[in-house]
Amino acid sequence: MWLEANESTTPWRVSVNQLKTWHKCQRRFELHHLRQLQWPSDPSNFAYGQAVHTLMDYQSRDLDCAPLLAVASMQVQQAWQWLLADDTCHWPVIASEWGFTVPAPEHSLLKNAVLVGRMDRISRSPDGVVALIDWKTGTAVPKDPVNDWQTRVYLYALAEARSHLGLNETPLDAIKFRYVAVKNGIRHTDVPYSEAFHDETRERLIEALVAMATATCYPLPETCPDRYCGYRKVCGIENTEGLEASQGLASERTHTNASVSSQPRAE
Ligand code: SF4
């Protein structure tokens, strides 16, 4: 149980990644986030995304991007051209690469829990709406952005931290999330916010975090949701799949025998 292991005053830092993993595969959540069995990752996988994010951060601060662009790959230079041609990156910037640590919703079991993350940019759009912007360079925009944990946690955190950004007077329906997909050009996906959305996210967070905090076992899902997962050899799913496969084969054989025996005999 997470609560027993963390009775100290150390905050429980909950990331979007933890929430997504919890819902995808609880065994993976246990291995990765609780037992900290983490695999080394290849930095080259993140080079493109990091370069684009750094350039956008420089651009938001009116810093000279030329030295970075001079050594950037063609892919990064192309992304930069697409982004500059998009009006989103020219909206007045409220904050860039804004790291947040926001208390989790109020609940007796979540006193130590905080939501953590980093927002790429917060800007004011021409219609006065505060836009939380996320440049999507590597991973795709979520298929269901309204129900995606990144959309919900980031908007919730922004709403809760408005006073730290000088946005006390901003109502929740004057906030939106904008995903900016950088692939073969630019594509926007906007998710508007509201009081009702905020309340719903609070309830969902409480439900998920209490379940995570009080869990005593971390079962495997019925089927593995990620065939590239690095825990495949240690999580036990291969045994389950092997068992299912052999059971499937056995039932197939029984079915075949039954079919054969039920065929009318040739006289
Ligand atoms: S291999 Fe699949 S079932 Fe096993 S931990 Fe990873 S995601 Fe979960």
Side-chain angles (χ1 to χ4, degrees), residues 13 44 50-51 97 138 147 188 206 256 263-264:
R13 297 168 60 80
S44 66
Q50 278 173 353
E97 293 294 327
N147 290 308
H188 301 147
I206 290 173
T256 310
Q263 283 173 3

Side-chain angles (χ1 to χ4, degrees), residues 5-16:
N6 289 276
E7 277 176 349
S8 71
T9 52
T10 311
W12 173 23
R13 297 168 60 80
V14 185
S15 65
V16 165

Side-chain angles (χ1 to χ4, degrees), residues 1-8 213 216:
M1 185 190 294
W2 185 90
L3 276 177
E4 282 172 6
N6 289 276
E7 277 176 349
S8 71
T216 52

